[in-house]
Amino acid sequence: SLDVLYVIWMALLLFHVVDEAGAVQIIGQALPALTGDRAMQGLLLVWLFASFLQGMGGFGVPVAVAAPLLVGLGFDPVLAVVMACIGHGWAVNFGSLATSFQTLMAVTGLPGAVLGPDAAILLGVASLACGGIVAYVAAGWRGLIRSLPAVVILSAVMGLTQYWLVTNGIWTLGATGASLAGLIVSVPLARLPLYQKRDADQPVSLSPEMRRNLIVAVSAYVVLLAIAFAINLIEPLGAWLGQITFSLPFPELSTSTGWLTPAESGRRISLFNHPGA
């Protein structure tokens, strides 16, 4: 529990700090300003942005943030919630700094190197399905067909990025890094003439000031990615930070029906080389 809670508490702390600074609102306002196409606006907000929020925090935050933004753009409230719930579904396992994956490793006793590749492939394929459903709900079959090239390209980018991160031991940033890569690629995609159709209620405009604010808004996540990559890829640094660990001893436990759990130490938690840290 402490191993997972360490990640959860810090992920929520990071989200609330960034949200209090106004960064989440800035990102949410800037993304739909890239395009007037309803399907693309839905993909940007509840497939890419919501998945990014899931990677960093999760726990209902993606739906709570992304759905109201869609409603503000003129989407039906019920459909907005449905799209937000489905859009980030592929990012849950490696989301919240991989708390679900941490739990999976703890429960099965299998290392991330064994569980990670297959999970990354499965979720990469699921990403394509999530994007397609969002595009269909947002703008029907025509919207899905029109946005299909973008969905295929972005799901390939996110799936491959996630697979590379997970297979290199950086599963804590599997969903975050993948969705961030998708957001970066989506900017030029959304500006293509195909996706500049103005069928949304809001005008398409991304002012120079909004661009500057957007760079500042994502800076906290860029710093986090840089730190995480450094710790995971620079082995001496990771080993130095992993010197201090915490563990609890558990006594032998027997039940009235004869089941016996031997005495042993609990999961060893590194205080400074941990996703929460």
Side-chain angles (χ1 to χ4, degrees):
S1 297
L2 288 175
D3 189 33
V4 176
L5 287 172
Y6 192 6
V7 182
I8 292 174
W9 289 332
M10 295 303 103
L12 289 175
L13 173 63
L14 175 63
F15 169 77
H16 285 298
V17 170
V18 175
D19 185 44
E20 188 69 21
V24 173
Q25 184 180 4
I26 291 171
I27 297 172
Q29 290 174 343
L31 288 176
L34 294 170
T35 174
D37 185 88
R38 289 183 71 84
M40 280 300 294
Q41 285 188 334
L43 291 171
L44 288 170
L45 283 176
V46 299
W47 187 38
L48 301 177
F49 183 46
S51 296
F52 181 69
L53 292 176
Q54 177 64 33
M56 298 308 306
F59 310 105
V61 167
V63 178
V65 172
L69 290 172
L70 280 183
V71 174
L73 291 172
F75 285 84
D76 177 81
V78 175
L79 293 183
V81 173
V82 170
M83 291 162 63
C85 289
I86 294 174
H88 78 286
W90 70 276
V92 172
N93 192 47
F94 292 112
S96 307
L97 295 181
T99 50
S100 298
F101 193 66
Q102 292 274 117
T103 305
L104 185 63
M105 289 190 292
V107 170
T108 61
L110 296 173
V114 174
L115 296 171
D118 288 342
I121 293 172
L122 175 65
L123 295 170
V125 174
S127 170
L128 176 64
C130 290
I133 294 172
V134 167
Y136 170 74
V137 175
W141 285 110
R142 288 186 178 181
L144 172 59
I145 294 171
R146 188 169 62 245
S147 61
L148 192 58
V151 172
V152 172
I153 292 172
L154 291 171
S155 61
V157 168
M158 293 192 293
L160 290 172
T161 302
Q162 179 180 246
Y163 185 83
W164 181 83
L165 289 168
V166 171
T167 53
N168 280 276
I170 316 176
W171 46 76
T172 53
L173 296 178
T176 303
S179 53
L180 183 61
L183 283 170
I184 292 171
V185 175
S186 72
V187 173
L189 273 178
R191 303 304 292 175
L192 292 175
L194 176 64
Y195 302 121
Q196 290 303 301
K197 180 182 177 181
R198 296 178 180 236
D199 57 2
D201 295 343
Q202 299 293 327
V204 179
S205 61
L206 191 61
S207 65
E209 182 182 2
M210 186 177 289
R211 287 193 182 95
R212 289 193 298 270
N213 291 338
L214 185 60
I215 293 172
V216 176
V218 299
S219 62
Y221 299 113
V222 173
V223 171
L224 176 67
L225 286 169
I227 293 173
F229 273 103
I231 292 174
N232 282 277
L233 298 181
I234 303 176
E235 293 185 6
L237 176 61
W240 181 71
L241 290 172
Q243 294 180 82
I244 302 176
T245 60
F246 170 80
S247 183
L248 290 173
F250 290 91
E252 181 180 276
L253 178 67
S254 60
T255 69
S256 59
T257 55
W259 290 97
L260 180 67
T261 302
E264 60 182 348
S265 296
R267 190 173 179 84
R268 191 170 295 278
I269 302 172
S270 173
L271 294 184
F272 301 108
N273 187 15
H274 189 278

